[in-house]
Amino acid sequence: MSVNHTQTRPYRGRFAPSPTGPLHFGSLITAVASYCDAKSKHGQWFVRIEDTDIPRIHQNSVSHILACIECFEFELDAPILYQKDRLHLYQHAIEQLKQQQQVYACQCTRKMLGSNAIYSGHCRDLHLDFEHQAIRVKVDPHPICFQDQLQGHHCSNLQQDLGDFVLLRRDGIFNYQLAVVVDDALQGITHVVRGSDLLDNTARQIWLSQLLKTPSINYMHLPLAMNKHGQKLSKQNLAHALDLKNAPQLLQQALQCLGQAPVELNRPNVMLKQAIQQWSAQQIPPHMTLRGIYQ
Ligand code: GLU
Ligand code: ZN
């Protein structure tokens, strides 16, 4: 990839929702934290719709995301980008990895893989034709370590924990890990602020970034938002879709969950400006439990 490698890159952050369901309160927390962190450091902030997994995309979710961005009055520094329009770029990255002999075709069926979480490398040396097969990237036995701004030092060994992983599925869908790395690099993203549910993905992304020789990124994984039963809020357990009638109240609660100094109820844009001025990532608590309307 041809990416600028200058040492001091200007802060660029992003919010990158997958439109597999409407945005919920946990998504709002991520959006607000990435936005305030970027803007408080005079950085830019982008929105990217991660819609590569076409069978799982809901059109209504895309419109809900757009409505949320507008209603909460986030100020974007570039037009929203859609991954489905950028498949050629992910293909290009795969071609680069083919040149480097870092990828191979895998013909294993789901049945053959069974419930094994770790891929054995069965097809690594079979040199199969790439056509109509899944494509896996080779990993190596060295641990990948990074310093997360909130979660501290993290290491993982991809070979032990995962094995060679899929970048392109047999049905032609690019894996999220690849698309994220390619787009973060091409958009010049310097800081990723997102939920801790993605902490485990980070080593894979760092590995791909190393192979594609893209600049490294600062990570901040937010504590997950739980309801009072200790369940993670997600689209799967039907967390409420954000109700845009209550945008100022929701914003106030999101900032409260993030441990920030209170902001007065007002137009969202005014509230966000106050939140940016007061923003302190150090105040984010290690656990976020939501009460009130999110029980
Ligand atoms: N699209 C991913 C999600 O909605 C987040 C990607 C990221 O922030 O790296 O879970
Ligand atoms: Zn295989």
PDB file of all heavy atoms in Angstrom, residues 14-20 23 27 30 48-51 65 83 176-177 180-181 184 192-195 197-198 201 205 219 221 235, ligand 1:
ATOM      1  N   ARG A  14     -11.978   7.872  14.163  1.00  0.00           N
ATOM      2  CA  ARG A  14     -13.159   7.488  13.362  1.00  0.00           C
ATOM      3  C   ARG A  14     -14.141   6.692  14.198  1.00  0.00           C
ATOM      4  O   ARG A  14     -13.815   6.111  15.234  1.00  0.00           O
ATOM      5  CB  ARG A  14     -12.742   6.765  12.094  1.00  0.00           C
ATOM      6  CG  ARG A  14     -12.324   5.299  12.068  1.00  0.00           C
ATOM      7  CD  ARG A  14     -11.633   4.693  13.211  1.00  0.00           C
ATOM      8  NE  ARG A  14     -11.181   3.345  13.011  1.00  0.00           N
ATOM      9  CZ  ARG A  14     -11.724   2.257  13.584  1.00  0.00           C
ATOM     10  NH1 ARG A  14     -12.732   2.356  14.394  1.00  0.00           N
ATOM     11  NH2 ARG A  14     -11.215   1.070  13.356  1.00  0.00           N
ATOM     12  N   PHE A  15     -15.362   6.671  13.712  1.00  0.00           N
ATOM     13  CA  PHE A  15     -16.419   5.824  14.261  1.00  0.00           C
ATOM     14  C   PHE A  15     -16.820   4.928  13.096  1.00  0.00           C
ATOM     15  O   PHE A  15     -17.119   5.422  12.010  1.00  0.00           O
ATOM     16  CB  PHE A  15     -17.578   6.703  14.718  1.00  0.00           C
ATOM     17  CG  PHE A  15     -18.796   5.944  15.171  1.00  0.00           C
ATOM     18  CD1 PHE A  15     -18.708   4.947  16.140  1.00  0.00           C
ATOM     19  CD2 PHE A  15     -20.052   6.235  14.643  1.00  0.00           C
ATOM     20  CE1 PHE A  15     -19.839   4.260  16.566  1.00  0.00           C
ATOM     21  CE2 PHE A  15     -21.189   5.564  15.068  1.00  0.00           C
ATOM     22  CZ  PHE A  15     -21.079   4.571  16.027  1.00  0.00           C
ATOM     23  N   ALA A  16     -16.773   3.603  13.333  1.00  0.00           N
ATOM     24  CA  ALA A  16     -16.922   2.679  12.202  1.00  0.00           C
ATOM     25  C   ALA A  16     -17.986   1.618  12.463  1.00  0.00           C
ATOM     26  O   ALA A  16     -17.673   0.438  12.633  1.00  0.00           O
ATOM     27  CB  ALA A  16     -15.563   2.031  11.920  1.00  0.00           C
ATOM     28  N   PRO A  17     -19.246   2.011  12.529  1.00  0.00           N
ATOM     29  CA  PRO A  17     -20.284   1.025  12.860  1.00  0.00           C
ATOM     30  C   PRO A  17     -20.568   0.048  11.709  1.00  0.00           C
ATOM     31  O   PRO A  17     -20.426   0.401  10.539  1.00  0.00           O
ATOM     32  CB  PRO A  17     -21.513   1.900  13.119  1.00  0.00           C
ATOM     33  CG  PRO A  17     -21.292   3.122  12.302  1.00  0.00           C
ATOM     34  CD  PRO A  17     -19.805   3.350  12.297  1.00  0.00           C
ATOM     35  N   SER A  18     -20.944  -1.163  12.082  1.00  0.00           N
ATOM     36  CA  SER A  18     -21.425  -2.140  11.091  1.00  0.00           C
ATOM     37  C   SER A  18     -22.941  -2.056  11.100  1.00  0.00           C
ATOM     38  O   SER A  18     -23.549  -2.209  12.157  1.00  0.00           O
ATOM     39  CB  SER A  18     -21.020  -3.553  11.491  1.00  0.00           C
ATOM     40  OG  SER A  18     -19.643  -3.621  11.673  1.00  0.00           O
ATOM     41  N   PRO A  19     -23.559  -1.860   9.962  1.00  0.00           N
ATOM     42  CA  PRO A  19     -25.021  -1.690   9.958  1.00  0.00           C
ATOM     43  C   PRO A  19     -25.768  -3.020  10.003  1.00  0.00           C
ATOM     44  O   PRO A  19     -26.540  -3.347   9.118  1.00  0.00           O
ATOM     45  CB  PRO A  19     -25.275  -0.934   8.651  1.00  0.00           C
ATOM     46  CG  PRO A  19     -24.125  -1.292   7.785  1.00  0.00           C
ATOM     47  CD  PRO A  19     -22.961  -1.642   8.656  1.00  0.00           C
ATOM     48  N   THR A  20     -25.517  -3.778  11.079  1.00  0.00           N
ATOM     49  CA  THR A  20     -26.182  -5.074  11.225  1.00  0.00           C
ATOM     50  C   THR A  20     -27.359  -4.967  12.183  1.00  0.00           C
ATOM     51  O   THR A  20     -27.976  -5.960  12.526  1.00  0.00           O
ATOM     52  CB  THR A  20     -25.179  -6.131  11.731  1.00  0.00           C
ATOM     53  OG1 THR A  20     -24.508  -5.577  12.869  1.00  0.00           O
ATOM     54  CG2 THR A  20     -24.140  -6.454  10.683  1.00  0.00           C
ATOM     55  N   LEU A  23     -28.261   1.516  15.823  1.00  0.00           N
ATOM     56  CA  LEU A  23     -27.294   1.915  16.849  1.00  0.00           C
ATOM     57  C   LEU A  23     -27.984   1.894  18.214  1.00  0.00           C
ATOM     58  O   LEU A  23     -29.142   2.271  18.343  1.00  0.00           O
ATOM     59  CB  LEU A  23     -26.757   3.320  16.574  1.00  0.00           C
ATOM     60  CG  LEU A  23     -25.849   3.487  15.371  1.00  0.00           C
ATOM     61  CD1 LEU A  23     -25.171   4.848  15.413  1.00  0.00           C
ATOM     62  CD2 LEU A  23     -24.805   2.387  15.274  1.00  0.00           C
ATOM     63  N   SER A  27     -23.215   1.938  21.222  1.00  0.00           N
ATOM     64  CA  SER A  27     -22.632   2.570  20.025  1.00  0.00           C
ATOM     65  C   SER A  27     -22.483   4.069  20.248  1.00  0.00           C
ATOM     66  O   SER A  27     -21.507   4.679  19.797  1.00  0.00           O
ATOM     67  CB  SER A  27     -23.496   2.375  18.773  1.00  0.00           C
ATOM     68  OG  SER A  27     -24.337   1.265  18.838  1.00  0.00           O
ATOM     69  N   THR A  30     -19.383   4.793  22.181  1.00  0.00           N
ATOM     70  CA  THR A  30     -18.196   4.709  21.317  1.00  0.00           C
ATOM     71  C   THR A  30     -18.066   5.940  20.434  1.00  0.00           C
ATOM     72  O   THR A  30     -16.984   6.513  20.291  1.00  0.00           O
ATOM     73  CB  THR A  30     -18.270   3.451  20.418  1.00  0.00           C
ATOM     74  OG1 THR A  30     -18.445   2.322  21.253  1.00  0.00           O
ATOM     75  CG2 THR A  30     -17.022   3.276  19.590  1.00  0.00           C
ATOM     76  N   ARG A  48     -17.247   5.798   9.108  1.00  0.00           N
ATOM     77  CA  ARG A  48     -17.118   4.790   8.049  1.00  0.00           C
ATOM     78  C   ARG A  48     -18.152   3.699   8.297  1.00  0.00           C
ATOM     79  O   ARG A  48     -18.231   3.154   9.400  1.00  0.00           O
ATOM     80  CB  ARG A  48     -15.709   4.214   8.137  1.00  0.00           C
ATOM     81  CG  ARG A  48     -15.373   3.268   7.031  1.00  0.00           C
ATOM     82  CD  ARG A  48     -13.894   2.968   7.040  1.00  0.00           C
ATOM     83  NE  ARG A  48     -13.531   2.078   8.118  1.00  0.00           N
ATOM     84  CZ  ARG A  48     -12.425   2.205   8.856  1.00  0.00           C
ATOM     85  NH1 ARG A  48     -11.583   3.186   8.661  1.00  0.00           N
ATOM     86  NH2 ARG A  48     -12.174   1.330   9.807  1.00  0.00           N
ATOM     87  N   ILE A  49     -18.942   3.405   7.306  1.00  0.00           N
ATOM     88  CA  ILE A  49     -19.955   2.357   7.443  1.00  0.00           C
ATOM     89  C   ILE A  49     -19.320   1.036   6.994  1.00  0.00           C
ATOM     90  O   ILE A  49     -18.884   0.908   5.848  1.00  0.00           O
ATOM     91  CB  ILE A  49     -21.206   2.672   6.575  1.00  0.00           C
ATOM     92  CG1 ILE A  49     -21.727   4.091   6.837  1.00  0.00           C
ATOM     93  CG2 ILE A  49     -22.273   1.606   6.753  1.00  0.00           C
ATOM     94  CD1 ILE A  49     -22.542   4.274   8.076  1.00  0.00           C
ATOM     95  N   GLU A  50     -19.273   0.080   7.913  1.00  0.00           N
ATOM     96  CA  GLU A  50     -18.569  -1.171   7.627  1.00  0.00           C
ATOM     97  C   GLU A  50     -19.565  -2.209   7.129  1.00  0.00           C
ATOM     98  O   GLU A  50     -20.065  -3.046   7.887  1.00  0.00           O
ATOM     99  CB  GLU A  50     -17.808  -1.613   8.872  1.00  0.00           C
ATOM    100  CG  GLU A  50     -16.859  -0.492   9.328  1.00  0.00           C
ATOM    101  CD  GLU A  50     -15.545  -0.949   9.894  1.00  0.00           C
ATOM    102  OE1 GLU A  50     -15.550  -1.807  10.789  1.00  0.00           O
ATOM    103  OE2 GLU A  50     -14.505  -0.429   9.435  1.00  0.00           O
ATOM    104  N   ASP A  51     -19.835  -2.116   5.843  1.00  0.00           N
ATOM    105  CA  ASP A  51     -20.904  -2.923   5.246  1.00  0.00           C
ATOM    106  C   ASP A  51     -20.380  -3.921   4.229  1.00  0.00           C
ATOM    107  O   ASP A  51     -20.931  -4.069   3.150  1.00  0.00           O
ATOM    108  CB  ASP A  51     -21.954  -1.993   4.609  1.00  0.00           C
ATOM    109  CG  ASP A  51     -21.320  -0.963   3.685  1.00  0.00           C
ATOM    110  OD1 ASP A  51     -20.092  -0.964   3.531  1.00  0.00           O
ATOM    111  OD2 ASP A  51     -22.062  -0.164   3.099  1.00  0.00           O
ATOM    112  N   ILE A  65     -28.172   4.882  11.358  1.00  0.00           N
ATOM    113  CA  ILE A  65     -26.847   5.450  11.667  1.00  0.00           C
ATOM    114  C   ILE A  65     -26.780   6.898  11.154  1.00  0.00           C
ATOM    115  O   ILE A  65     -26.366   7.806  11.881  1.00  0.00           O
ATOM    116  CB  ILE A  65     -25.713   4.603  11.029  1.00  0.00           C
ATOM    117  CG1 ILE A  65     -25.657   3.224  11.689  1.00  0.00           C
ATOM    118  CG2 ILE A  65     -24.362   5.313  11.149  1.00  0.00           C
ATOM    119  CD1 ILE A  65     -24.742   2.227  10.987  1.00  0.00           C
ATOM    120  N   GLN A  83     -17.767   0.892   3.014  1.00  0.00           N
ATOM    121  CA  GLN A  83     -16.811  -0.148   2.601  1.00  0.00           C
ATOM    122  C   GLN A  83     -17.276  -0.909   1.370  1.00  0.00           C
ATOM    123  O   GLN A  83     -16.455  -1.394   0.606  1.00  0.00           O
ATOM    124  CB  GLN A  83     -16.548  -1.107   3.766  1.00  0.00           C
ATOM    125  CG  GLN A  83     -15.706  -0.441   4.849  1.00  0.00           C
ATOM    126  CD  GLN A  83     -15.210  -1.411   5.893  1.00  0.00           C
ATOM    127  OE1 GLN A  83     -15.892  -2.380   6.216  1.00  0.00           O
ATOM    128  NE2 GLN A  83     -14.044  -1.139   6.452  1.00  0.00           N
ATOM    129  N   TYR A 176     -13.705  -8.564   7.998  1.00  0.00           N
ATOM    130  CA  TYR A 176     -13.649  -7.272   8.680  1.00  0.00           C
ATOM    131  C   TYR A 176     -12.213  -6.834   9.006  1.00  0.00           C
ATOM    132  O   TYR A 176     -11.844  -5.669   8.835  1.00  0.00           O
ATOM    133  CB  TYR A 176     -14.534  -7.366   9.939  1.00  0.00           C
ATOM    134  CG  TYR A 176     -14.085  -6.526  11.104  1.00  0.00           C
ATOM    135  CD1 TYR A 176     -14.249  -5.144  11.068  1.00  0.00           C
ATOM    136  CD2 TYR A 176     -13.489  -7.103  12.217  1.00  0.00           C
ATOM    137  CE1 TYR A 176     -13.816  -4.360  12.135  1.00  0.00           C
ATOM    138  CE2 TYR A 176     -13.070  -6.330  13.283  1.00  0.00           C
ATOM    139  CZ  TYR A 176     -13.220  -4.961  13.234  1.00  0.00           C
ATOM    140  OH  TYR A 176     -12.791  -4.192  14.262  1.00  0.00           O
ATOM    141  N   GLN A 177     -11.374  -7.784   9.457  1.00  0.00           N
ATOM    142  CA  GLN A 177     -10.002  -7.427   9.888  1.00  0.00           C
ATOM    143  C   GLN A 177      -9.229  -6.751   8.759  1.00  0.00           C
ATOM    144  O   GLN A 177      -8.522  -5.775   8.972  1.00  0.00           O
ATOM    145  CB  GLN A 177      -9.209  -8.679  10.315  1.00  0.00           C
ATOM    146  CG  GLN A 177      -9.943  -9.683  11.163  1.00  0.00           C
ATOM    147  CD  GLN A 177     -10.247  -9.191  12.562  1.00  0.00           C
ATOM    148  OE1 GLN A 177      -9.688  -8.191  12.999  1.00  0.00           O
ATOM    149  NE2 GLN A 177     -11.140  -9.867  13.257  1.00  0.00           N
ATOM    150  N   VAL A 180     -10.757  -3.172   7.802  1.00  0.00           N
ATOM    151  CA  VAL A 180     -10.431  -2.162   8.817  1.00  0.00           C
ATOM    152  C   VAL A 180      -8.993  -1.665   8.640  1.00  0.00           C
ATOM    153  O   VAL A 180      -8.734  -0.461   8.661  1.00  0.00           O
ATOM    154  CB  VAL A 180     -10.600  -2.749  10.242  1.00  0.00           C
ATOM    155  CG1 VAL A 180      -9.878  -1.916  11.276  1.00  0.00           C
ATOM    156  CG2 VAL A 180     -12.055  -2.850  10.607  1.00  0.00           C
ATOM    157  N   VAL A 181      -8.082  -2.599   8.459  1.00  0.00           N
ATOM    158  CA  VAL A 181      -6.671  -2.214   8.367  1.00  0.00           C
ATOM    159  C   VAL A 181      -6.431  -1.382   7.106  1.00  0.00           C
ATOM    160  O   VAL A 181      -5.769  -0.338   7.147  1.00  0.00           O
ATOM    161  CB  VAL A 181      -5.765  -3.471   8.398  1.00  0.00           C
ATOM    162  CG1 VAL A 181      -4.321  -3.118   8.093  1.00  0.00           C
ATOM    163  CG2 VAL A 181      -5.879  -4.147   9.753  1.00  0.00           C
ATOM    164  N   ASP A 184      -8.277   2.092   7.630  1.00  0.00           N
ATOM    165  CA  ASP A 184      -7.618   2.953   8.620  1.00  0.00           C
ATOM    166  C   ASP A 184      -6.342   3.541   8.013  1.00  0.00           C
ATOM    167  O   ASP A 184      -6.042   4.717   8.200  1.00  0.00           O
ATOM    168  CB  ASP A 184      -7.305   2.170   9.907  1.00  0.00           C
ATOM    169  CG  ASP A 184      -8.541   2.010  10.802  1.00  0.00           C
ATOM    170  OD1 ASP A 184      -9.539   2.734  10.598  1.00  0.00           O
ATOM    171  OD2 ASP A 184      -8.508   1.152  11.707  1.00  0.00           O
ATOM    172  N   VAL A 192      -7.568   4.763  17.262  1.00  0.00           N
ATOM    173  CA  VAL A 192      -8.797   3.969  17.229  1.00  0.00           C
ATOM    174  C   VAL A 192      -9.360   3.915  18.645  1.00  0.00           C
ATOM    175  O   VAL A 192      -8.679   3.483  19.570  1.00  0.00           O
ATOM    176  CB  VAL A 192      -8.516   2.548  16.685  1.00  0.00           C
ATOM    177  CG1 VAL A 192      -9.668   1.610  16.990  1.00  0.00           C
ATOM    178  CG2 VAL A 192      -8.260   2.602  15.185  1.00  0.00           C
ATOM    179  N   VAL A 193     -10.590   4.419  18.788  1.00  0.00           N
ATOM    180  CA  VAL A 193     -11.294   4.362  20.073  1.00  0.00           C
ATOM    181  C   VAL A 193     -12.535   3.523  19.812  1.00  0.00           C
ATOM    182  O   VAL A 193     -13.355   3.867  18.956  1.00  0.00           O
ATOM    183  CB  VAL A 193     -11.705   5.776  20.542  1.00  0.00           C
ATOM    184  CG1 VAL A 193     -12.510   5.704  21.841  1.00  0.00           C
ATOM    185  CG2 VAL A 193     -10.476   6.664  20.719  1.00  0.00           C
ATOM    186  N   ARG A 194     -12.665   2.389  20.501  1.00  0.00           N
ATOM    187  CA  ARG A 194     -13.794   1.492  20.239  1.00  0.00           C
ATOM    188  C   ARG A 194     -14.028   0.606  21.443  1.00  0.00           C
ATOM    189  O   ARG A 194     -13.287   0.656  22.431  1.00  0.00           O
ATOM    190  CB  ARG A 194     -13.512   0.657  18.984  1.00  0.00           C
ATOM    191  CG  ARG A 194     -12.288  -0.211  19.113  1.00  0.00           C
ATOM    192  CD  ARG A 194     -11.949  -0.918  17.808  1.00  0.00           C
ATOM    193  NE  ARG A 194     -10.741  -1.730  17.964  1.00  0.00           N
ATOM    194  CZ  ARG A 194     -10.087  -2.298  16.965  1.00  0.00           C
ATOM    195  NH1 ARG A 194     -10.509  -2.151  15.730  1.00  0.00           N
ATOM    196  NH2 ARG A 194      -9.011  -3.018  17.195  1.00  0.00           N
ATOM    197  N   GLY A 195     -15.053  -0.236  21.372  1.00  0.00           N
ATOM    198  CA  GLY A 195     -15.426  -1.073  22.510  1.00  0.00           C
ATOM    199  C   GLY A 195     -14.431  -2.205  22.746  1.00  0.00           C
ATOM    200  O   GLY A 195     -13.769  -2.673  21.819  1.00  0.00           O
ATOM    201  N   ASP A 197     -15.002  -5.148  23.166  1.00  0.00           N
ATOM    202  CA  ASP A 197     -15.341  -6.403  22.486  1.00  0.00           C
ATOM    203  C   ASP A 197     -14.416  -6.610  21.280  1.00  0.00           C
ATOM    204  O   ASP A 197     -14.318  -7.725  20.777  1.00  0.00           O
ATOM    205  CB  ASP A 197     -16.820  -6.434  22.056  1.00  0.00           C
ATOM    206  CG  ASP A 197     -17.239  -5.204  21.269  1.00  0.00           C
ATOM    207  OD1 ASP A 197     -16.587  -4.154  21.386  1.00  0.00           O
ATOM    208  OD2 ASP A 197     -18.231  -5.305  20.526  1.00  0.00           O
ATOM    209  N   LEU A 198     -13.734  -5.543  20.868  1.00  0.00           N
ATOM    210  CA  LEU A 198     -12.840  -5.676  19.717  1.00  0.00           C
ATOM    211  C   LEU A 198     -11.368  -5.795  20.121  1.00  0.00           C
ATOM    212  O   LEU A 198     -10.491  -5.884  19.267  1.00  0.00           O
ATOM    213  CB  LEU A 198     -13.044  -4.484  18.767  1.00  0.00           C
ATOM    214  CG  LEU A 198     -14.437  -4.503  18.112  1.00  0.00           C
ATOM    215  CD1 LEU A 198     -14.782  -3.158  17.514  1.00  0.00           C
ATOM    216  CD2 LEU A 198     -14.529  -5.593  17.068  1.00  0.00           C
ATOM    217  N   ASN A 201      -9.454  -8.551  18.592  1.00  0.00           N
ATOM    218  CA  ASN A 201      -9.197  -8.446  17.150  1.00  0.00           C
ATOM    219  C   ASN A 201      -7.928  -7.657  16.850  1.00  0.00           C
ATOM    220  O   ASN A 201      -7.401  -7.724  15.746  1.00  0.00           O
ATOM    221  CB  ASN A 201     -10.347  -7.693  16.457  1.00  0.00           C
ATOM    222  CG  ASN A 201     -11.643  -8.466  16.503  1.00  0.00           C
ATOM    223  OD1 ASN A 201     -12.082  -9.000  15.510  1.00  0.00           O
ATOM    224  ND2 ASN A 201     -12.248  -8.539  17.669  1.00  0.00           N
ATOM    225  N   GLN A 205      -5.208  -7.282  13.569  1.00  0.00           N
ATOM    226  CA  GLN A 205      -5.117  -6.057  12.772  1.00  0.00           C
ATOM    227  C   GLN A 205      -3.683  -5.523  12.755  1.00  0.00           C
ATOM    228  O   GLN A 205      -3.201  -5.046  11.730  1.00  0.00           O
ATOM    229  CB  GLN A 205      -6.123  -5.025  13.297  1.00  0.00           C
ATOM    230  CG  GLN A 205      -7.547  -5.526  13.033  1.00  0.00           C
ATOM    231  CD  GLN A 205      -8.632  -4.736  13.740  1.00  0.00           C
ATOM    232  OE1 GLN A 205      -8.396  -3.650  14.244  1.00  0.00           O
ATOM    233  NE2 GLN A 205      -9.821  -5.301  13.787  1.00  0.00           N
ATOM    234  N   TYR A 219      -4.306   2.682  20.259  1.00  0.00           N
ATOM    235  CA  TYR A 219      -5.596   2.057  20.574  1.00  0.00           C
ATOM    236  C   TYR A 219      -6.108   2.468  21.941  1.00  0.00           C
ATOM    237  O   TYR A 219      -5.340   2.575  22.901  1.00  0.00           O
ATOM    238  CB  TYR A 219      -5.470   0.534  20.547  1.00  0.00           C
ATOM    239  CG  TYR A 219      -5.285   0.006  19.149  1.00  0.00           C
ATOM    240  CD1 TYR A 219      -4.015  -0.328  18.676  1.00  0.00           C
ATOM    241  CD2 TYR A 219      -6.370  -0.142  18.292  1.00  0.00           C
ATOM    242  CE1 TYR A 219      -3.837  -0.798  17.386  1.00  0.00           C
ATOM    243  CE2 TYR A 219      -6.201  -0.613  16.999  1.00  0.00           C
ATOM    244  CZ  TYR A 219      -4.937  -0.934  16.556  1.00  0.00           C
ATOM    245  OH  TYR A 219      -4.764  -1.386  15.281  1.00  0.00           O
ATOM    246  N   HIS A 221      -9.427   1.009  24.022  1.00  0.00           N
ATOM    247  CA  HIS A 221     -10.622   0.168  24.053  1.00  0.00           C
ATOM    248  C   HIS A 221     -11.455   0.519  25.283  1.00  0.00           C
ATOM    249  O   HIS A 221     -10.988   0.380  26.417  1.00  0.00           O
ATOM    250  CB  HIS A 221     -10.222  -1.307  24.034  1.00  0.00           C
ATOM    251  CG  HIS A 221      -9.759  -1.760  22.669  1.00  0.00           C
ATOM    252  ND1 HIS A 221      -8.461  -1.656  22.243  1.00  0.00           N
ATOM    253  CD2 HIS A 221     -10.465  -2.261  21.619  1.00  0.00           C
ATOM    254  CE1 HIS A 221      -8.375  -2.103  20.988  1.00  0.00           C
ATOM    255  NE2 HIS A 221      -9.577  -2.469  20.587  1.00  0.00           N
ATOM    256  N   LYS A 235     -26.371  -5.568  19.738  1.00  0.00           N
ATOM    257  CA  LYS A 235     -27.537  -5.729  18.880  1.00  0.00           C
ATOM    258  C   LYS A 235     -28.166  -7.096  19.138  1.00  0.00           C
ATOM    259  O   LYS A 235     -29.359  -7.278  19.043  1.00  0.00           O
ATOM    260  CB  LYS A 235     -27.100  -5.617  17.425  1.00  0.00           C
ATOM    261  CG  LYS A 235     -26.592  -4.239  17.083  1.00  0.00           C
ATOM    262  CD  LYS A 235     -25.479  -4.277  16.046  1.00  0.00           C
ATOM    263  CE  LYS A 235     -24.663  -3.005  16.129  1.00  0.00           C
ATOM    264  NZ  LYS A 235     -23.397  -3.097  15.440  1.00  0.00           N
TER     265      LYS A 235
HETATM  266  N1  GLU B   1     -17.454  -2.241  12.545  1.00  0.00           N
HETATM  267  C1  GLU B   1     -17.081  -2.719  13.832  1.00  0.00           C
HETATM  268  C2  GLU B   1     -18.317  -2.909  14.707  1.00  0.00           C
HETATM  269  O1  GLU B   1     -19.310  -2.244  14.499  1.00  0.00           O
HETATM  270  C3  GLU B   1     -16.152  -1.773  14.565  1.00  0.00           C
HETATM  271  C4  GLU B   1     -14.896  -1.582  13.857  1.00  0.00           C
HETATM  272  C5  GLU B   1     -13.822  -0.806  14.587  1.00  0.00           C
HETATM  273  O2  GLU B   1     -14.138   0.153  15.302  1.00  0.00           O
HETATM  274  O3  GLU B   1     -12.668  -1.142  14.386  1.00  0.00           O
HETATM  275  O4  GLU B   1     -18.287  -3.729  15.590  1.00  0.00           O
END
